[in-house]
Amino acid sequence: MELREVSEREIWVGETKIYSGEDNILYITAAGDSDEKMAAAMREVEVKFINMAQGKVNLLIDINRCGKQSPEARKIRQEVSDHEKVGKVAVFGMHPVARVIASFVISITKRKNNKFFKNREDALAWLKE
């Protein structure tokens, strides 16, 4: 699993970009398939950024280039969404397979602050409400 630290606020896990914004939003651009190893590496980076932030952190997840997610990977993704410091989770994308996966993950979560959007603008606006 290749990890590339571009800056103190941006780390790539494989093809997935994770960026910690100064607005307490974690910007995740998911790309490619994800198995347990990939999801665990992403979780490690995301939790690092979440714990560095002051207060709650919102997640903005772009799934336009996302591939298949193994059941183990989906479970790990859920753990990140359920982190005590995570506020809202906005997922957006137009890819049909990714949308099915996102709707499944959102439906099984205990949290009510997870929403799916077709585009980045609507998702970001909701996070900033």
Side-chain angles (χ1 to χ4, degrees):
M1 188 67 41
E2 183 192 356
L3 256 72
R4 275 185 300 139
E5 191 164 338
V6 176
S7 71
E8 65 182 25
R9 293 190 166 273
E10 181 177 331
I11 298 175
W12 288 65
V13 181
E15 298 174 54
T16 296
K17 175 183 171 183
I18 303 167
Y19 176 77
S20 180
E22 293 183 19
D23 50 6
N24 269 21
I25 296 176
L26 195 58
Y27 297 84
I28 302 163
T29 306
D33 295 343
S34 184
D35 60 10
E36 187 174 8
K37 260 178 77 173
M38 173 73 167
M42 288 173 57
R43 174 184 57 200
E44 188 175 319
V45 171
E46 292 162 1
V47 169
K48 172 186 169 184
F49 283 142
I50 289 167
N51 287 332
M52 285 171 39
Q54 298 296 316
K56 293 278 187 186
V57 175
N58 293 324
L59 307 182
L60 180 67
I61 306 171
D62 176 349
I63 59 169
N64 279 304
R65 295 179 41 235
C66 188
K68 290 184 215 155
Q69 309 287 302
S70 73
E72 298 82 12
R74 287 195 297 267
K75 185 173 187 246
I76 290 168
R77 303 302 313 139
Q78 189 58 52
E79 291 170 12
V80 174
S81 293
D82 289 340
H83 190 285
E84 64 184 8
K85 282 186 70 176
V86 170
K88 294 179 177 178
V89 178
V91 180
F92 72 94
M94 291 300 294
H95 190 279
V97 173
R99 289 179 65 184
V100 168
I101 291 167
S103 64
F104 172 75
V105 170
I106 288 171
S107 71
I108 64 168
T109 185
K110 301 165 194 71
R111 300 168 47 92
K112 298 298 175 216
N113 276 344
N114 292 9
K115 265 186 148 174
F116 183 80
F117 299 87
K118 287 187 177 178
N119 62 61
R120 176 181 164 81
E121 296 72 26
D122 291 346
L124 197 53
W126 179 72
L127 286 180
K128 292 183 175 186
E129 282 178 356

